[in-house]
Amino acid sequence: MTPEEIRAGLGEELVLAVSDAYGLATVDVAPEHWVAALTAARDGLGCTFFDWLTGVDELADGFDVVAHVCALPRGPRLLLRTRVPREGATLATATGVYAGARWHERETHEMFGIDFAGHPGLDPLLLPEGFEGHPLRKEFILASRVAKAWPGAKDPGESDHGGGPARSPGRRRTLPPGVPDPATWGPHKEEAAAEAAAAAEERPRRARGAAAGSASQAGGDAPAARPARRTRSVSAGSASQSGEGAPAAPATPAAPAAPAPAEPAKPAESPTPAAPAEPVEPAAPAEPAAPEAPAESAEEPRKNVAPDAPTPPTEGDTP
């Protein structure tokens, strides 16, 4: 349905603006024309089915009241929206147009504090008797998040559950929406105030320690240089491999040792004169040995050797 068709069906005097988002038309009307716009949507556009009604907290701008209606089986769908001031939020009831709005207006009154003039009975619907406040208003304080530690904390120290490490006193604590500062509200505000005071005293001490460390480094007391990281090649394996499976790294050649200083030489002692030895006769010269004949090679045939003669038969041998 086009905006022109919606304006024609509801009436130009009732419509403030028409917008389209995700295939759903939203029609803004004035609070004094709220019931008339719902009646025109039912009678002029055929939106006889009432789906739901709720409120939206817009803080200083007030509250939006939104109703979703549609035509069956496959007719147009509309969001009718109006805005009421935050102080004294009151709107005419829609139960005279859609009977199904009675339950939704009771819930919206209970959760947002909006009064619906002419409603048959805005009795409590979901909250226990004696409950104070309206839970869906954005300024409503989630008291349970202050009275009891939140078990779903993500940062260490934010929750008392699980035995995690204590939160640092100097660390700024972020609070989720709707949770007040425990130092100003709740049963543990005295403890939270003492913790905040301790954190305020801790910050100057840490700042002085950091300044003293910077001054010592500037004066020459800089920490020792970190040793170079050992590198490994692909063949040497990674550092996480055990010594059994990883090949040994090549040994670094040792530097040659410095030569030891030589001891001073001792003076030679004078030799003792020995007794004269008897003269020895010279030995006779040995006779030269005859040259040995060269050995015959087994591979070469003997030369100039007559063939073996047949051996003559002896007596008694039978031919």
Side-chain angles (χ1 to χ4, degrees):
M1 182 176 293
T2 63
E4 290 74 14
E5 294 175 346
I6 294 175
R7 289 179 179 274
L10 297 180
E12 290 287 343
E13 67 282 358
L14 300 178
V15 178
L16 295 178
V18 179
S19 58
D20 189 357
Y22 304 101
L24 182 62
T26 301
V27 182
D28 291 309
V29 299
E32 58 272 16
H33 297 152
W34 176 246
V35 176
L38 290 174
T39 305
R42 183 193 62 181
D43 300 338
L45 298 178
C47 297
T48 58
F49 179 76
F50 176 86
D51 191 7
W52 49 262
L53 181 146
T54 189
V56 180
D57 187 358
E58 298 293 345
L59 296 178
D61 295 335
F63 298 100
D64 283 345
V65 178
V66 186
H68 180 235
V69 295
C70 58
L72 297 179
R74 295 182 179 180
R77 298 186 301 133
L78 293 179
L79 276 180
L80 277 79
R81 180 174 59 185
T82 189
R83 179 168 294 180
V84 295
R86 194 172 194 85
E87 299 297 331
T90 304
L91 188 66
T93 181
T95 54
V97 183
Y98 297 101
R102 180 173 180 175
W103 187 94
H104 297 264
E105 289 182 352
R106 288 176 60 190
E107 181 189 30
T108 305
H109 169 72
E110 193 173 28
M111 294 297 169
F112 293 92
I114 303 173
D115 290 331
F116 291 91
H119 192 279
L122 295 174
D123 301 327
L125 182 66
L126 302 175
L127 299 178
E129 185 178 357
F131 187 89
E132 296 181 1
H134 306 286
L136 291 187
R137 286 194 176 192
K138 292 182 179 179
E139 79 271 7
F140 182 80
I141 295 177
L142 301 177
S144 60
R145 294 288 296 274
V146 182
K148 184 178 179 180
W150 178 244
K154 296 182 180 179
D155 294 335
E158 283 192 3
S159 175
D160 295 336
H161 300 265
R167 180 174 56 88
S168 173
R171 184 174 181 181
R172 182 178 179 271
R173 186 174 183 179
T174 58
L175 297 174
V179 179
D181 188 359
T184 59
W185 192 93
H188 304 291
K189 59 182 178 180
E190 291 81 6
E191 302 174 6
E195 183 182 357
E201 295 177 359
E202 183 74 11
R203 293 191 193 99
R205 188 182 65 81
R206 291 190 176 186
R208 289 193 298 268
S214 302
S216 62
Q217 292 183 5
D221 297 338
R226 187 177 181 181
R229 184 177 179 182
R230 183 179 178 184
T231 58
R232 288 174 175 263
S233 61
V234 176
S235 61
S238 63
S240 61
Q241 294 177 348
S242 61
E244 297 180 359
T252 305
E263 297 181 358
K266 297 181 180 180
E269 299 179 357
S270 58
T272 305
E278 297 181 358
V280 181
E281 296 182 359
E287 297 181 358
E292 297 179 0
E296 295 181 358
S297 175
E299 297 179 358
E300 297 180 0
R302 290 180 293 181
K303 299 178 181 180
N304 302 326
V305 178
D308 295 339
T311 305
T314 58
E315 292 182 1
D317 292 339
T318 305

